[in-house]
């Protein structure tokens, strides 16, 4: 090979790399990989190469040595460097898959029921979201900086898959105080949020083809997850005594039903516990909006009534602080503690230690409790503004009952209404208020789910005006 | 029911709660759940209850109203409150599972191969860990505080499952500069680390029973993960032409083989790409230690040579910054982009937005590059100290070759050595240096894997002295 050919290769593969040692390496490597240079081809001497590329000879020697170490060329003292023998580039057979394709498991994972109706960033009254303006940003940022400056020993390393010990202790105290749940920190795990925690529990206690029951209407994240785990998703029936005994998982939102906002009554709670104990099913209790209670108080989760190690409780700061923190927790029965620890490690579900330490401080200093009180008051005012506006503007054209808790209200229509059309029309008017039918399996319920976390007089009035227009067919 | 009985119930269920409205609610709720109070039982009037519990009548009314809302009692004007009808407490059948048990999938997930030999926190020379003292804690904490004070719009909410757009752009530039990889930020996803990213890809492209090939010896995290996904784990053979075509996944560490520290040669890289294209397998390329290169330079990952959309590249800051940040990335072929986005959302694998924003700033300000240069120099010095000490103290009793990269070295023994016994003896002497046989499937390789991230003259000397004693049978 002539020195000028080397120059041409560099020109071809690294157009802006003339005179740099790295360019020479990259060019030769690419020329070999693409078969422009063939096994046994000889390269020019280091002296000639240096001259034609206007590089120092030492740079060329260094590049050749690096290529030798990579297995691209062979160098021997006194001989010109030679391209190594490489596997023949047999053409890929026609029947091979042209690109990476999804497995059966992969296709199940992609059956995502949330894809339609994604908010576009300008829309308002979106359900399921807190108001990011209420996030105590400066206090949190200060706390986080302090937490990040400290060493957290094993938790800085790979032993943080159960969660930061200090946070698990703080959470145990917090859950005792706010939710009436007494448990040892050993049964608490810190997660990247409810979805990750539920994914882990589903992996641990269900097999593909098992039945998973969800509320109807019910939370779409649970439905997407159970589909991803290849479970048969069915509506949770009113009469559990007729339910077959082969259910693996039951997803419930007793504190604030998603999406209708009702608190579950005691008889239903006991009935579910009894059914779970009898059938062997695990209850996934999602306590997502339990920080915001508008009617009744202090109802502990079903988890607290469980005597048969059947309930896994999921909590999160996604509503009380910010979803983007990616922080939640799991409280599990003793019988699952070891398995959850191993699963968190194998599946890589641990949350950032620094974010965890910051939340521990936020709880311990009382900043978290103060923020919950304050934001709770604000959200209740906003709920009142929106419901008053709806009642006043839309009167008996729709049915609204204020929720027992949580950050969204349900506007119900008669079952013969096409709520998808109404939601699409509202979408076009700037309101992301999904139709209830999206959350339904068999339920005939029709309506709109409206988030009030950012409601104010202006957007509540605008919403009612828009809805009136849509209902009038304008 | 008599007023005094109410007092007894409160005493029994809330021993320290006398006189508080919450205690009354809790006591009645628990008494009903445990059947001490039965359906139709009447409670004393609010007046009498208030008197016997030394509470204000308004507090009692409030408690009764809350219990009514929960479905525990019925209140009607003029009548005494009554316990609601509740489902009969049928005894749980004997054959029911007494507690939550693991499914087949759950048992696979718990086949964790790392459980033995966990470091106890005082041991040194642990492989796979960076030195937390090198973490630029104050600079990071300042950057993180700044990042946490800003709003990140959709990424503060639930739209962060692909990763913060700003970080994905910064990572694309960083990978171009440091790894010679050119790709659009659209093909990059931010993860909670390599384990989480691999879990997602395994879910997407493999089904239970498929074959997964790993290097032999090879990384335990990959083996645990593939077992968790119910794959058949087999050693990656030298001669790929004889490998059957039904492989779903191939896990490789070409930049720094785990655990032996060798860089993969070009012929092997091309051979793997060719095999993957022919068989339909996906290559999981783990670039975990690529920031630390001791021999050769600038070898881009196999990902950069891939023309058939077969390679997924995994990167992490676990070695370069801290594992506890829980931050990594995935670079995926175009054909997997949509599926990875949906999977990240359904499985809850997103990383904290604030940590992401901080890393983006760290990259953009050059702090990250400076830290990599500095820590790389330090680690190389430590490697030299440890290898010199071993060569000097243990001479030809062991075989050591300095690794091409990464933070651990392999001390090899002859294949008839029981390296487990030696590792256990070293464990007792304060050194967590696992036996190579732990990482082997069929390979006869025997030795110890020693981390030098925290090596210094004192612990290197102590290590060699301890190893000499163990080899002497002392």
């Amino acid at each position: 090979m002539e020195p000028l050919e080397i120059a041409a290769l560099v020109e071809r593969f690294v157009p802006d790399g003339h005179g740099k040692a790295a360019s020479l390496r990259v060019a030769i490597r690419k020329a070999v990989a693409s078969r422009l240079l063939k096994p046994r081809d000889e390269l020019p001497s280091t002296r000639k190469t240096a001259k034609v590329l206007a590089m120092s000879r030492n740079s060329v020697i260094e590049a050749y040595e690096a290529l030798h170490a990579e297995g691209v060329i062979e160098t021997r003292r006194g001989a010109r460097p030679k391209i190594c023998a490489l596997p023949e580039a047999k053409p890929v057979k026609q029947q091979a898959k042209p690109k990476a394709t999804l497995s059966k498991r992969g296709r199940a994972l992609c059956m995502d029921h949330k894809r339609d109706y994604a908010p576009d960033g300008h829309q308002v009254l979106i359900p399921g979201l807190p108001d990011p303006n209420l996030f105590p940003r400066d206090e949190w940022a200060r706390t986080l900086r302090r937490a990040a400056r400290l060493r957290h020993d094993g938790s800085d390393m790979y032993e943080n898959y159960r969660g930061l010990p200090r946070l698990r202790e703080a959470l145990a105290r917090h859950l005792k105080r706010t939710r009436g749940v007494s448990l040892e920190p050993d049964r608490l795990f810190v997660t990247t949020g409810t979805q990750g925690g539920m994914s882990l529990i589903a992996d641990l206690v269900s097999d593909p083809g098992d039945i998973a029951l969800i509320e109807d209407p019910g939370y779409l994240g649970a439905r997407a997850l159970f589909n991803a785990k290849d479970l048969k998703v069915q509506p949770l029936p009113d009469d559990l005594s007729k339910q077959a005994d082969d259910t693996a998982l039951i997803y419930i939102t007793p504190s604030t039903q998603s999406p209708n906002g009702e608190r579950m009554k005691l008889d239903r709670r006991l009935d579910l516990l009894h059914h779970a104990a009898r059938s062997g099913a695990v209850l996934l209790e999602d306590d997502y909006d339990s920080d915001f209670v508008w009617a009744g108080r202090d109802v502990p989760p079903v988890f607290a009534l469980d005597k048969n190690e059947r309930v896994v409780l999921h909590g999160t700061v996604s509503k009380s602080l910010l979803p983007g923190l990616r922080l939640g927790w799991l409280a599990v029965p003793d019988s699952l503690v070891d398995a959850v620890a191993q699963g968190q490690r194998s599946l890589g579900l641990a949350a950032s230690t620094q974010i965890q330490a910051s939340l521990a401080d936020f709880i311990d200093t009382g900043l978290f409790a103060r923020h919950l009180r304050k934001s709770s008051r604000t959200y209740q005012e906003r709920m009142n503004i929106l419901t008053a506006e709806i009642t006043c503007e839309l009167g008996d054209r729709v049915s609204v009952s204020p929720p027992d808790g949580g950050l969204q209200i349900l506007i119900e229509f008669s079952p013969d209404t096409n709520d998808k059309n109404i939601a699409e029309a509202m979408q076009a008017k700037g309101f992301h208020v999904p139709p209830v039918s999206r959350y339904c399996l068999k339920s005939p319920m029709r309506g709109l789910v409206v988030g009030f976390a950012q409601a104010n007089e202006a957007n509540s009035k605008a919403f009612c005006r828009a809805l009136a227009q849509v209902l009038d067919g304008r």
Side-chain angles (χ1 to χ4, degrees), chain A:
Chain A
M1 181 184 214
E2 294 308 307
L4 275 174
E5 289 179 63
I6 281 278
L9 286 180
V10 172
E11 183 65 29
R12 169 171 182 165
F13 287 112
V14 198
D16 55 351
H18 196 71
K20 293 181 202 152
S23 316
L24 177 58
R25 291 199 296 278
V26 171
I28 293 178
R29 193 187 298 123
K30 289 197 171 177
V32 170
S34 63
R35 311 284 159 174
L36 274 177
L37 287 173
K38 300 208 169 44
R40 309 277 137 230
D41 279 357
E42 289 191 344
L43 297 178
S45 69
T46 51
R47 194 179 50 80
K48 286 185 181 159
T49 306
K51 196 169 166 198
V52 76
L53 292 176
M55 291 166 61
S56 79
R57 191 161 165 212
N58 275 344
S59 300
V60 176
I61 291 174
E62 197 188 305
Y64 279 11
E65 276 172 0
L67 289 165
H68 174 80
E70 283 177 43
V72 178
I73 65 173
E74 288 164 19
T75 55
R76 269 181 314 157
R77 186 175 291 276
R80 285 171 65 190
K82 253 193 284 192
I83 305 300
C84 288
L86 289 173
E88 271 179 62
K90 290 167 248 166
V92 172
K93 276 184 278 176
Q94 285 305 314
Q95 68 266 39
K97 294 180 229 166
K99 43 185 79 163
T101 47
L102 298 185
S103 60
K104 183 166 176 290
R105 172 155 64 188
R107 289 192 299 274
L109 180 49
C110 291
M111 282 178 60
D112 188 318
H113 291 268
K114 288 178 164 179
R115 250 189 306 176
D116 330 292
Y117 301 101
D120 74 359
H122 300 289
Q123 293 165 332
V124 292
L125 304 187
I126 305 168
L129 298 183
D131 180 359
N133 298 310
L134 297 188
F135 178 59
R137 212 165 275 279
D138 289 343
E139 284 171 342
W140 174 263
R142 262 197 306 276
T143 310
L144 181 58
R145 177 183 177 180
R146 230 179 355 249
R149 290 183 72 180
L150 295 176
R151 281 192 58 160
H152 302 285
D153 296 323
S155 298
D156 272 341
M157 296 297 165
Y158 288 98
E159 285 110 89
N160 77 342
Y161 45 87
R162 285 173 189 263
L164 191 70
R166 207 155 62 70
L167 175 58
R168 291 155 68 211
E169 283 159 22
L171 280 173
R173 287 191 296 273
H174 177 75
L175 289 174
K176 170 95 182 133
R177 203 170 53 236
T178 61
R179 304 293 291 127
V181 171
S182 297
L183 86 171
E184 293 298 303
D186 275 357
R187 289 170 61 197
L188 273 171
F189 291 82
V190 183
T191 67
T192 54
T194 301
Q195 202 72 15
M198 292 206 303
S199 167
L200 174 55
I201 299 295
D203 276 345
L204 285 175
V205 305
S206 78
D207 280 316
D210 284 352
I211 292 175
L213 301 177
I214 61 174
E215 296 162 328
D216 186 18
Y219 176 53
L220 291 173
R223 203 205 295 182
L225 179 75
F226 295 151
N227 279 318
K229 302 297 178 185
D230 210 4
L231 302 174
K232 290 194 196 101
V233 178
Q234 296 178 1
L236 180 62
D238 287 336
D239 183 355
L240 286 164
S241 68
K242 286 178 191 150
Q243 180 67 32
D245 279 5
D246 53 355
T247 309
L249 288 166
I250 303 175
Y251 173 82
I252 51 172
T253 51
S255 168
T256 311
Q257 205 276 332
S258 172
N260 80 25
E262 275 176 19
R263 183 144 320 112
M264 190 186 284
K265 297 281 194 265
L266 184 64
D267 58 347
R268 181 68 165 170
R269 292 172 185 239
L270 294 174
D271 210 22
L272 281 164
L273 278 171
H274 182 70
H275 176 72
R278 183 169 56 81
S279 68
V282 168
L283 291 170
L284 295 179
E285 178 173 22
D286 188 352
D287 217 24
Y288 68 107
D289 253 351
S290 60
D291 296 306
F292 307 113
V293 176
W294 317 130
R297 293 226 166 259
D298 285 332
V299 184
V302 173
F303 181 85
L305 297 173
D306 179 24
K307 291 193 182 67
N308 294 289
E309 308 207 9
R310 284 270 154 261
V311 187
V312 175
L313 180 69
H314 300 260
T316 179
V317 297
S318 290
K319 314 299 177 186
S320 53
L321 290 170
L322 270 189
L325 297 180
R326 303 314 316 147
L327 203 63
W329 52 86
L330 275 179
V332 307
D334 270 330
S335 56
L336 288 181
V337 164
D338 292 340
V340 170
Q342 290 189 45
Q344 287 261 101
R345 171 154 62 168
S346 285
L347 302 182
L349 283 165
S352 163
T353 301
Q354 297 176 350
I355 301 284
Q356 292 187 58
S358 185
L359 180 60
D361 286 347
F362 229 59
I363 293 174
D364 287 344
T365 54
L367 285 171
F368 191 47
R370 200 177 73 187
H371 166 69
L372 287 179
R373 277 195 304 274
K374 201 173 138 189
S375 53
S376 200
R377 266 198 309 275
T378 306
Y379 286 137
Q380 189 161 24
E381 284 162 18
R382 293 177 182 181
M383 174 179 78
N384 292 340
I385 290 171
L386 179 63
T387 45
E389 207 59 52
I390 293 172
T391 314
C392 170
E393 293 296 319
L394 296 163
D396 51 8
R397 302 183 64 182
V398 298
S399 155
V400 181
S401 30
D404 292 333
L407 303 182
Q408 40 277 324
I409 58 170
L410 175 64
I411 299 185
E412 252 191 280
F413 305 135
S414 64
D416 57 347
T417 312
N418 187 329
D419 57 3
K420 286 201 173 67
N421 287 353
I422 295 176
E424 270 169 33
M426 290 301 286
Q427 179 99 345
K429 287 173 185 284
F431 298 96
H432 181 84
V433 287
V436 177
S437 54
R438 253 181 93 200
Y439 304 82
C440 292
L441 291 171
K442 293 179 182 168
S443 161
M445 192 184 280
R446 297 296 176 260
L448 298 177
V449 187
V450 186
F452 55 75
Q454 299 197 64
N456 55 37
E457 296 220 356
N459 62 26
S460 296
K461 268 191 210 304
F463 171 79
C464 291
R465 219 164 25 235
L467 184 54
Q469 284 173 354
V470 169
L471 292 177
D472 288 344
R474 281 181 285 153

